[in-house]
Amino acid sequence: MNTNSIEKLLWSIALPGFGQLLNKKYMKGTILIALEFLVNVQSNFNVAIVSSFHGNIPLSLEQIHLKWLMFYPCLYFFSMWDAVKDADEKGENHPLLFLPFVFSAYFVTTGLIYSSEFKLFGHLIGPIFLPIFFVIPGVTIGFGISKLITILKRHHL
């Protein structure tokens, strides 16, 4: 991934839509920022983040509106992937680079679904930290499948 793509990725991690604005995709960036604010406010995400960081997982589970928050992973990871894709002016990025983003969105959504039940050492992880942990298998599987497809293509050509 080139430096330009990494910069846009990091700004998209900060706030979905920022990478698009830097890529001069103003309409797309504005829409993504608006959607981020809509989902964030409707899901009560920031309030639940504060409760989680203070160690009050049961309260964060009460505060969160899960049906709204489940939109967030796809919005978030799409924004990151799209910013990276648009920043790649010379076509240097791998054509299967979308896979880690897609699988991360799937796994984070799954983490949200199980956030009220999944316990680690007898403690609930909650709707903030469990999805964050689920990014790891998402990225790993996405890169793994990308690598596998690349190897298979090489051997079949």
Side-chain angles (χ1 to χ4, degrees):
M1 193 179 319
N2 63 42
T3 306
N4 191 34
S5 295
I6 293 170
E7 176 189 1
K8 305 312 173 15
L9 171 65
L10 292 174
W11 278 109
S12 289
I13 290 171
L15 187 76
F18 276 8
Q20 286 73 15
L21 294 179
L22 290 171
N23 283 328
K24 297 183 173 125
K25 307 285 182 168
Y26 300 115
M27 179 67 84
K28 194 186 317 183
T30 302
I31 290 169
L32 287 168
I33 291 169
L35 286 171
E36 197 283 336
F37 276 96
L38 174 69
V39 172
N40 189 302
V41 169
Q42 291 297 327
S43 67
N44 219 21
F45 193 33
N46 287 348
V47 174
I49 288 172
V50 171
S51 297
S52 290
F53 272 76
H54 282 115
N56 197 340
I57 302 303
L59 180 60
S60 72
L61 285 164
E62 288 176 26
Q63 294 168 328
I64 207 75
H65 193 292
L66 197 58
K67 289 180 182 176
W68 270 99
L69 189 58
M70 287 181 61
F71 287 107
Y72 201 77
C74 289
L75 174 67
Y76 194 70
F77 286 99
F78 172 79
S79 176
M80 287 188 280
W81 168 77
D82 183 70
V84 168
K85 176 186 62 71
D86 285 348
D88 185 26
E89 297 162 346
K90 297 178 184 175
E92 298 168 339
N93 291 339
H94 194 279
L96 298 174
L97 185 61
F98 67 92
L99 287 171
F101 294 100
V102 170
F103 277 92
S104 292
Y106 292 154
F107 274 81
V108 169
T109 301
T110 302
L112 282 170
I113 292 167
Y114 290 103
S115 65
S116 64
E117 304 164 29
F118 187 88
K119 293 182 179 183
L120 186 63
F121 305 114
H123 298 283
L124 277 174
I125 308 302
I128 306 306
F129 295 117
L130 185 63
I132 289 171
F133 292 146
F134 274 45
V135 170
I136 297 167
V139 168
T140 304
I141 290 170
F143 275 124
I145 290 173
S146 176
K147 182 75 169 169
L148 180 64
I149 291 170
T150 302
I151 290 168
L152 290 173
K153 276 185 171 180
R154 231 181 272 143
H155 289 293
H156 284 95
L157 291 178

